[in-house]
Amino acid sequence: DARVTQTPRHKVTEMGQEVTMRCQPILGHNTVFWYRQTMMQGLELLAYFRNRAPLDDSGMPKDRFSAEMPDATLATLKIQPSEPRDSAVYFCASGEGGYSPLHFGNGTRLTVT
Amino acid sequence: GESVGLHLPTLSVQEGDNSIINCAYSNSASDYFIWYKQESGKGPQFIIDIRSNMDKRQGQRVTVLLNKTVKHLSLQIAATQPGDSAVYFCAENHHLNSGGSNYKLTFGKGTLLTVNP
């Protein structure tokens, strides 16, 4: 089965360090989403791309977070500088748009100490 | 703001029983709904979806019911098995344009389903 691939699976870093998370969406999917999951907030939408163009990043702290799609096979989410409150599981999901479901990767668990 | 919420944060059932997980939504513009299952250490996994022009859809052992009048969604799992133990999320899809090509998927908080053998 085709699946969304995220790397790394786990990341532990110190406050102030840069963190880059990567996602390979399912081939042929034209929408890519980044979500953050915490116990307190649940699944929060951070950013959303369609055909590699950013459409909605209103859920993302602009001063430290950035999301890009250098090409159709790679999406990145970067945090610089990282803070302890950024500790969460970050999920990437891709889809075909319209009335079709998103397919999620298994996430990157980020711990910022 | 409008949001998706769940009535029950936890549900415990006996193996073989039927499970019903409920979800309330408040965005009347939502026209597509999805149920996901999330197991520990994994990402949400698609279970079943339904468009707002339907009120019922069935899959293998699962049925989704949509009541637009009261803005309520439910997931029914028949003959619940230990492997069904997970957190279940409902998500509503609010299309950002009339063509349906851009959308924003909003998730509820989740319900933990525990199946007792």
Side-chain angles (χ1 to χ4, degrees), chain B residues 53-108:
Chain B
N53 58 356
M54 303 172 67
D55 53 21
K56 179 179 180 179
R57 191 162 188 222
Q58 289 185 292
Q60 186 177 10
R61 283 201 307 118
V62 295
T63 301
V64 55
L65 298 178
L66 175 63
N67 185 330
K68 294 180 289 294
T69 301
V70 295
K71 297 188 180 69
H72 185 267
L73 193 68
S74 68
L75 176 70
Q76 300 179 358
I77 305 174
T80 314
Q81 303 168 359
D84 295 326
S85 294
V87 177
Y88 288 81
F89 293 95
C90 66
E92 62 177 314
N93 204 342
H94 173 199
H95 282 82
L96 297 176
N97 64 32
S98 59
S101 58
N102 292 338
Y103 63 93
K104 186 170 183 175
L105 195 61
T106 304
F107 283 79

Side-chain angles (χ1 to χ4, degrees), chain A residues 55-72:
Chain A
L55 289 187
D56 185 351
D57 60 1
S58 58
M60 205 164 65
K62 303 289 192 306
D63 57 337
R64 299 184 299 109
F65 284 59
S66 61
E68 297 179 345
M69 281 200 73
D71 60 62

Side-chain angles (χ1 to χ4, degrees), chain B residues 12-13 19 31 33 37 56 58-59 63 68-69 76 79 86 97 101 111-112 116-117:
Chain B
S12 182
V13 301
S19 302
D31 59 357
F33 303 88
K37 171 187 180 183
K56 179 179 180 179
Q58 289 185 292
T63 301
K68 294 180 289 294
T69 301
Q76 300 179 358
N97 64 32
S101 58
T111 293
L112 173 62
N116 302 310

